[in-house]
Amino acid sequence: MRHISERESDLPDSVIGELIKIAQEDKSIISMGAGQPDFKTPKPILDYAKKVINKSTAYSNPQGVLELREAIARKLKKENKISYADPKNIVVTAGSQESIFMTLASTIDPGEQVIIPNPGYLAYVPAVELLNGSIAYVRLREEDGFEIDPEKIKEVIDKKKTKVLILNSPANPTGNVLSKKILEKISDIVVENDIYAISDEAYEKLVYDKKHISIGSLNGMEEYIITVQSFSKSFAMCGFRLGYACGPKKIIDAITKSGHYVTLCPPHISQLLGVKALQISNKYVEHMRREYDRRRKYIVPRLNKMGLKTAMPYGAFYAFSNIKHLSNNSYKFAKEILEKTKVAVVPGTEFGSYGEGYIRFSYATDLNFIKKGLDRIENYLKKNY
Ligand SMILES: Cc1ncc(COP(=O)(O)O)c(C=O)c1O
């Protein structure tokens, strides 16, 4: 009988996808929903695209063009202090999303367990579910600034089943940035329990008042950590679909092998642009980071003043606000805000069960729109709550 696989039909629909569609169709909507930069890709990268388009019409090496992997290895050594980074243990993928999925596909068998922070980036759970893995959650608490508690990781580890821990710093949706002290504790747990950790560092360049530290740079982590980074947020290159993973060679080889059957190779043109992105002046990234910082400093105090308690985010471009005093259903609340004020925000439940009671604002939106959007919400709340 013809049917859609259970694996596929059990997957939840993404509310964010629905929101983006609504916001695109109705121009009166101010979107603070989307998780992508509102900046254009830096001009030198776009100009370079015109130059190299003819060189990129063929498939590339499935692991990624050597010149890019060499540039990434230099970057990881210099910026992230990952001393063992080498073109051999780097694989380039279609966005970091593919790196995350392929790393999981290469490390877990059906029934094996992955530890996921909750609330956490919404793609982790479906990835494990598609692979028929099992999930253990580590709850992140507002009172801890949404910092992951290493003791809680220990509590959920199942000696037989747990294979992978997913870490995300700077974090989506909470903006938490993990300190060296916490990362050291986590690295001890990873070694003691002989598991892998995927370190999702998609927002590594968007950090405010703190420093980004790659857990892969800590002593003895070479065989345990798969560092995943992206060009999407750092260089406003979401549509080019370019990311990569750096980790133990056997995992990189496995990702390369299976990736070959899925995408064949990452987009060739994007890889050539990736080489350029790693050469351009830091001023382009810094310009975007400063602007996000400016917006962060506006949006967070304003949300708190409106009564929406919001922890100060130290990374990424999200504010995660507590709405528990207004509603016990963040999905319904976000929908109401959308319908009544025409401002799109994302319900916290998109990021896991412990996201209930929160909504996420993205400040990857022009400051004027942020101001207007918050005015609308403030007026609505004053009148109706
Ligand atoms: C935490 C996190 N990781 C990974 C990704 C995937 O990004 P990309 O596949 O564009 O690199 C996203 C996208 O929003 C994200 O928020």
Side-chain angles (χ1 to χ4, degrees), residues 101-118:
F101 187 84
M102 287 307 187
T103 304
L104 289 168
S106 304
T107 49
I108 62 163
D109 280 317
E112 289 183 334
Q113 191 177 70
V114 180
I115 300 177
I116 295 179
N118 180 350

Side-chain angles (χ1 to χ4, degrees), residues 35-36 93-100 120-124 167-173 200-203 228-233 237-239 241-244 316-318 351 360:
Q36 61 175 329
T93 53
S96 58
Q97 191 107 323
E98 191 199 348
S99 279
I100 295 165
Y121 174 48
L122 56 84
Y124 303 144
L167 295 170
N168 176 213
S169 175
N172 175 8
D200 177 352
E201 303 178 11
Y203 296 92
V228 172
Q229 297 183 348
S230 172
F231 288 79
S232 294
K233 322 285 171 170
M237 287 177 70
C238 292
R241 310 308 305 128
L242 193 62
Y244 50 92
F317 39 56
Y318 307 109
F351 309 100
R360 189 193 77 175

Side-chain angles (χ1 to χ4, degrees), residues 23-292:
Q24 276 170 349
E25 282 165 6
D26 182 346
K27 293 294 166 214
S28 67
I29 288 176
I30 293 176
S31 177
M32 289 203 256
Q36 61 175 329
D38 57 317
F39 293 98
K40 256 193 146 174
T41 309
K43 189 167 179 301
I45 301 174
L46 293 177
D47 288 346
Y48 192 65
K50 292 175 205 143
K51 267 199 193 155
V52 292
I53 189 88
N54 283 331
K55 290 191 187 155
S56 60
T57 54
Y59 295 129
S60 77
N61 174 339
Q63 191 172 353
V65 297
L66 183 60
E67 196 189 355
L68 177 59
R69 282 183 289 125
E70 284 170 348
I72 292 169
R74 283 194 297 274
K75 182 257 178 218
L76 287 169
K77 279 188 179 145
K78 187 168 167 232
E79 292 181 8
N80 305 96
K81 314 281 179 248
I82 299 180
S83 56
Y84 49 84
D86 183 277
K88 282 199 297 294
N89 59 11
I90 291 167
V91 59
V92 182
T93 53
S96 58
Q97 191 107 323
E98 191 199 348
S99 279
I100 295 165
F101 187 84
M102 287 307 187
T103 304
L104 289 168
S106 304
T107 49
I108 62 163
D109 280 317
E112 289 183 334
Q113 191 177 70
V114 180
I115 300 177
I116 295 179
N118 180 350
Y121 174 48
L122 56 84
Y124 303 144
V125 172
V128 178
E129 286 176 348
L130 280 169
L131 295 164
N132 297 111
S134 66
I135 296 169
Y137 293 106
V138 176
R139 181 176 190 166
L140 308 180
R141 291 177 183 276
E142 188 182 354
E143 51 272 33
D144 304 331
F146 295 108
E147 182 128 280
I148 197 162
D149 178 351
E151 289 305 313
K152 296 274 181 284
I153 299 175
K154 271 192 201 162
E155 278 170 25
V156 298
I157 286 184
D158 177 318
K159 289 272 179 208
K160 283 209 189 102
K161 274 169 62 181
T162 307
K163 295 288 145 141
V164 178
L165 161 70
I166 298 185
L167 295 170
N168 176 213
S169 175
N172 175 8
T174 66
N176 177 263
V177 173
L178 292 175
S179 65
K180 190 164 183 199
K181 214 168 112 193
I182 298 267
L183 290 172
E184 278 170 347
K185 284 188 187 162
I186 296 173
S187 68
D188 287 345
I189 296 171
V190 165
V191 174
E192 266 162 38
N193 292 281
D194 199 20
I195 59 175
Y196 287 116
I198 297 176
S199 179
D200 177 352
E201 303 178 11
Y203 296 92
E204 54 153 348
K205 301 252 188 190
L206 306 180
V207 178
Y208 324 99
D209 305 336
K210 281 199 179 177
K211 216 177 144 242
H212 169 70
I213 295 166
S214 292
I215 188 168
S217 68
L218 303 182
N219 280 343
M221 284 296 96
E222 187 168 350
E223 292 304 317
Y224 296 92
I225 306 293
I226 299 93
T227 303
V228 172
Q229 297 183 348
S230 172
F231 288 79
S232 294
K233 322 285 171 170
S234 305
F235 298 101
M237 287 177 70
C238 292
F240 288 104
R241 310 308 305 128
L242 193 62
Y244 50 92
C246 171
K249 187 169 177 301
K250 64 180 177 190
I251 293 190
I252 298 304
D253 289 347
I255 297 174
T256 304
K257 189 165 73 174
S258 43
H260 191 55
Y261 300 122
V262 179
T263 55
L264 223 160
C265 70
H268 196 159
I269 178 72
S270 306
Q271 296 183 66
L272 302 185
L273 300 190
V275 174
K276 183 73 182 170
L278 294 176
Q279 287 166 353
I280 60 170
S281 154
N282 185 45
K283 72 175 185 194
Y284 295 97
V285 180
E286 192 47 23
H287 166 71
M288 294 188 265
R289 194 196 67 82
R290 279 216 198 109
E291 183 56 28
Y292 293 132

